[in-house]
Amino acid sequence: MKNRLPTHLVAVFLGGIVGTALRLALDEVVPHADEQFPASTLVINVIGSFVLGWLTGGLFSRDVSTVVKAAIGPGVLGSFTTFSAVILALVLLAASSPSQVVLAVIYLAATLLLGFGAAFVGLRVGARGAGPRCDDPRRDTNAEVAE
């Protein structure tokens, strides 16, 4: 079997460029100061949670090239959503004044609950997509698997 690591790395790199550009664009559309609720980061992470759930429940569970999976999953979505951005937004918000600690806790709770909900709904929506899953016995086993 061929070593696909270089191809996968390039796919993740190129996907990362797209995801980073999308994140920057959304940050520009919904800007916030350090002492304000980080709405853009929350929106980014909820969207990313939904899309990754949708892809995992649908497209990624079918015969999709591992290169495409690498480009979209860790590439686009990995650079679009980042845990470090969530934590930095929390720290900056909480450190801006003692009264903002409550808002930081609300942001953390909203991030976790909305992210969980979005991923759950995404999995459900993706599972309803067209075509049988890889593990579906009705799948045509004579079809060539894309790589």
Side-chain angles (χ1 to χ4, degrees), residues 18-145:
V18 172
T20 302
L22 290 171
R23 180 183 188 84
L24 178 61
L26 194 52
D27 277 337
E28 292 294 322
V29 171
V30 187
H32 70 276
D34 291 347
E35 66 278 359
Q36 294 177 322
F37 189 85
S40 62
T41 306
L42 178 61
V43 168
I44 285 165
N45 286 308
V46 171
I47 290 170
S49 296
F50 172 79
V51 171
L52 189 57
W54 173 66
L55 290 172
T56 300
L59 182 66
F60 285 179
S61 66
R62 291 165 178 78
D63 290 336
V64 174
S65 165
T66 57
V67 174
V68 171
K69 290 179 183 179
I72 296 172
V76 174
L77 295 173
S79 63
F80 183 65
T81 63
T82 63
F83 185 70
S84 60
V86 172
I87 297 305
L88 180 61
L90 279 168
V91 170
L92 291 172
L93 186 58
S96 66
S97 78
S99 64
Q100 295 297 74
V101 171
V102 172
L103 190 58
V105 170
I106 291 169
Y107 169 65
L108 176 60
T111 297
L112 294 175
L113 292 172
L114 292 172
F116 179 85
F120 180 80
V121 171
L123 279 168
R124 296 290 185 186
V125 171
R128 291 184 186 166
R133 296 171 56 103
C134 292
D135 57 356
D136 189 330
R138 296 170 292 175
R139 185 177 142 242
D140 180 8
T141 57
N142 295 324
E144 187 175 313
V145 176

